[in-house]
Amino acid sequence: MSLPCSIDIAIIGAGAAGLGAAHALKNSDLSFIVLEARDRVGGRGTTVRASPDVIFDVGCGWLHSADRNSFVKIAGQLNFEVDKTLPPWRERAYGKAFPQDERDDFIRALEAFYTRAEVAAQTGHDSPADRYLEPGNRWNPMIDAISTYVNGCELDQVSILDLGAYQDTNINWRVRRGYGALMTAYGASLPLALNCEVALIDHSGQRLRIETSLGTLSAGKAVITVPTSLIAREVIRFHPALPTKVEAAALLPLGLADKVMLALDDPGDLPSDGNLRGATMRTEMGTYHLRPFGQPCIEGFFGGRFAQALEDEGNGAIAAHSIDEIAGFLGNDFRRKLRPLMESRWAHDPFARGSYSHALPGHADKRAVLAAPVDNRLFFAGEATSPNFFSTAHGARDSGERAAKEVLASDAKR
Ligand SMILES: Cc1cc2nc3c(=O)[nH]c(=O)nc-3n(C[C@H](O)[C@H](O)[C@H](O)COP(=O)(O)OP(=O)(O)OC[C@H]3O[C@@H](n4cnc5c(N)ncnc54)[C@H](O)[C@@H]3O)c2cc1C
């Protein structure tokens, strides 16, 4: 769709939040358009065919808190099969790299950490989450590695109040054809301008003047859903400036999580939907999903400073490291069975600059600051604004719906 000159509502970003906002405006009498910098919808949700027989969710893959996840119902409405196989992260282990008694011991240490963290969060006083590691516990580096997967960063960067606010029902499902593919279908019926990068939102006049790579648009109101990384760096600018938003966004940085997909020849006795991980006693480690949905592949997952270091080494570094680590667990011969298909580099993605948000210690309140509307004309959504489901795709979608309702309520007041 080309860019109109004038519109009631401009939604900036066609990720889960922008799509959620747009759907919530569909039955109103307001005109709206979603402005998206990429040539596709979905943002940090994107599914690719990594090879003819491997479907790969490069961004989000799990319907977290699936019993409370609004995408589950949407999947049903759009005829996307939801797979309820339990994730392989916890109980099931493959091979000798992480013997079951060691793994059980690790899970006990992890759960004890989460219990201490929960108690600490209930006090209402904020502090860095690494303070609740048991001093000297041998599993601490691996507990920190889990934080890099869950929060995209090590525990010293995580606010204990923010960690406590996240609602995890521990039910995680998947979309058989891909979470990103579901988002594409969800966005299919919406008015969108792709390849439309917003540079400036001028809110000094009676109407908003939005400067984009496709030209200038006049809008009554805007819903801004771009990642915090871009607001903090003022890649998208406001006139007059909004220092409170820029500061809140900087205190809710995107952590980093990256995935790699390796083709697997001759799976042998490797289980379908298994997990491979070593008792490495390091934070710098990958976790591997064996043959997701039975496909001939292994998916690796990396987070935090280690993911950043691998990304900075250049394209191919994550795959090379994964092959080395897997060969270390399963024997050097296994190397011949693996071939890199694709890896993400979310920190280097100009329209993401990271993977998902976390609140820095002392700043859990910034999610509400970021979410608050400005002058009843600028509305803010995106995963970072979700009070309890931040860092997730459904949290993002629901935040878009929340912002759209704020738009409608503000319009009714006029
Ligand atoms: C590796 C990885 C694994 C993940 N795993 C899971 C998971 O299993 N489950 C889960 O629920 N979540 C997961 N997530 C997180 C989830 O993907 C995100 O929280 C969610 O997709 C964010 O949606 P959003 O709409 O807030 O932001 P985005 O998806 O980032 O959407 C914002 C949109 O704005 C666009 N944009 C940026 N700048 C501009 C501009 N200047 N002008 C116009 N448009 C612009 C972007 O291109 C993007 O499309 C994962 C993320 C990653 C990276």
Side-chain angles (χ1 to χ4, degrees), residues 75-136:
Q77 288 163 347
L78 295 172
N79 287 321
F80 275 68
E81 182 194 338
V82 170
D83 182 287
K84 300 185 179 176
T85 310
L86 289 177
W89 312 308
R90 286 170 63 101
E91 285 75 16
R92 283 169 284 160
Y94 176 76
K96 297 178 187 144
F98 203 166
Q100 199 61 37
D101 55 336
E102 289 279 87
R103 198 168 168 115
D104 292 344
D105 197 41
F106 167 64
I107 295 292
R108 272 193 295 276
L110 184 66
E111 276 170 359
F113 164 74
Y114 278 128
T115 304
R116 285 191 298 275
E118 210 179 301
V119 171
Q122 281 162 5
T123 66
H125 297 295
D126 210 354
S127 50
D130 65 341
R131 207 168 278 177
Y132 305 95
L133 290 168
E134 185 189 10

Side-chain angles (χ1 to χ4, degrees), residues 13 15-17 36-38 43-44 60-62 64 198 230 382-383 391-393 396:
E36 169 54 52
R38 300 178 198 266
R44 284 171 271 166
C60 55
W62 292 93
H64 291 313
V198 173
L230 305 180
E383 55 86 9
S391 77
T392 70

Side-chain angles (χ1 to χ4, degrees), residues 7-12 17-18 20-33 207-208 210 219-225 371-382 398-414:
I7 200 95
D8 291 329
I9 317 293
I11 299 169
I12 301 165
H23 271 278
L25 292 177
K26 255 190 359 187
N27 296 325
S28 73
D29 53 7
L30 298 171
S31 61
F32 65 92
I33 188 165
R207 284 178 64 79
L208 305 177
I210 302 180
K221 297 170 194 261
V223 179
I224 296 112
T225 76
V374 174
D375 294 338
N376 266 329
R377 291 205 299 172
L378 303 177
F379 298 84
F380 289 81
D398 296 354
S399 77
E401 196 170 89
R402 183 261 308 144
K405 284 182 184 158
E406 290 169 354
V407 169
L408 294 171
S410 71
D411 212 58
K413 278 188 218 141
R414 283 179 179 249

Side-chain angles (χ1 to χ4, degrees), residues 12-18 35-38 42-45 58-62 64 179 183 196-198 225-227 230 236 257 259 301 346 351 355-356 382-383 391-394 396:
I12 301 165
L35 310 177
E36 169 54 52
R38 300 178 198 266
R44 284 171 271 166
V58 187
C60 55
W62 292 93
H64 291 313
Y179 211 153
M183 286 197 204
C196 180
E197 184 176 351
V198 173
T225 76
V226 303
L230 305 180
I236 185 162
K259 292 184 183 175
F301 200 96
W346 285 105
F351 303 121
S355 301
Y356 28 85
E383 55 86 9
S391 77
T392 70
H394 65 290

Side-chain angles (χ1 to χ4, degrees), residues 231-232 234 238 240-252 365-374 380:
I231 296 177
E234 300 189 68
F238 296 91
L242 296 178
T244 312
K245 296 294 181 189
V246 172
E247 188 202 33
L251 296 165
L252 300 168
D365 60 323
K366 298 303 180 294
R367 297 201 185 276
V369 173
L370 184 64
V374 174
F380 289 81

Side-chain angles (χ1 to χ4, degrees), residues 15-303:
L19 300 181
H23 271 278
L25 292 177
K26 255 190 359 187
N27 296 325
S28 73
D29 53 7
L30 298 171
S31 61
F32 65 92
I33 188 165
V34 188
L35 310 177
E36 169 54 52
R38 300 178 198 266
D39 60 1
R40 60 165 181 82
V41 305
R44 284 171 271 166
T46 176
T47 306
V48 298
R49 200 166 267 283
S51 75
D53 41 15
V54 175
I55 291 175
F56 180 26
D57 265 322
V58 187
C60 55
W62 292 93
L63 295 155
H64 291 313
S65 300
D67 50 338
R68 294 183 55 196
N69 185 316
S70 52
F71 270 118
V72 172
K73 186 167 167 208
I74 293 163
Q77 288 163 347
L78 295 172
N79 287 321
F80 275 68
E81 182 194 338
V82 170
D83 182 287
K84 300 185 179 176
T85 310
L86 289 177
W89 312 308
R90 286 170 63 101
E91 285 75 16
R92 283 169 284 160
Y94 176 76
K96 297 178 187 144
F98 203 166
Q100 199 61 37
D101 55 336
E102 289 279 87
R103 198 168 168 115
D104 292 344
D105 197 41
F106 167 64
I107 295 292
R108 272 193 295 276
L110 184 66
E111 276 170 359
F113 164 74
Y114 278 128
T115 304
R116 285 191 298 275
E118 210 179 301
V119 171
Q122 281 162 5
T123 66
H125 297 295
D126 210 354
S127 50
D130 65 341
R131 207 168 278 177
Y132 305 95
L133 290 168
E134 185 189 10
N137 190 301
R138 69 183 178 126
W139 296 112
N140 286 348
M142 281 186 70
I143 295 174
D144 221 9
I146 302 295
S147 172
T148 70
Y149 309 146
V150 174
N151 304 304
C153 64
E154 287 72 5
L155 290 166
D156 61 338
Q157 298 292 299
V158 177
S159 146
I160 198 74
L161 292 186
D162 202 47
L163 197 65
Y166 183 76
Q167 288 178 6
D168 186 358
T169 69
N170 277 317
I171 299 179
N172 300 286
W173 296 340
R174 280 172 299 170
V175 182
R176 182 65 187 88
R177 281 150 64 194
Y179 211 153
L182 173 61
M183 286 197 204
T184 304
Y186 185 52
S189 61
L190 296 170
L192 292 156
L194 297 177
N195 300 304
C196 180
E197 184 176 351
V198 173
L200 175 75
I201 302 175
D202 180 342
H203 58 113
S204 60
Q206 228 176 19
R207 284 178 64 79
L208 305 177
R209 205 175 57 82
I210 302 180
E211 285 181 13
T212 84
S213 53
L214 295 184
T216 301
L217 168 73
S218 161
K221 297 170 194 261
V223 179
I224 296 112
T225 76
V226 303
T228 51
S229 47
L230 305 180
I231 296 177
R233 291 172 201 204
E234 300 189 68
V235 173
I236 185 162
R237 288 184 304 114
F238 296 91
H239 176 73
L242 296 178
T244 312
K245 296 294 181 189
V246 172
E247 188 202 33
L251 296 165
L252 300 168
L254 296 198
L256 186 57
D258 273 313
K259 292 184 183 175
V260 61
M261 187 55 93
L262 305 171
L264 170 69
D265 290 338
D266 174 23
D269 64 352
L270 276 198
S272 182
D273 283 318
N275 177 250
L276 176 68
R277 195 185 327 170
T280 55
M281 304 298 170
R282 289 193 308 269
T283 304
E284 299 77 17
M285 55 177 271
T287 178
Y288 301 94
H289 189 148
L290 304 174
R291 301 179 58 215
F293 297 116
Q295 299 179 118
C297 60
I298 296 180
E299 184 182 297
F301 200 96
F302 294 82

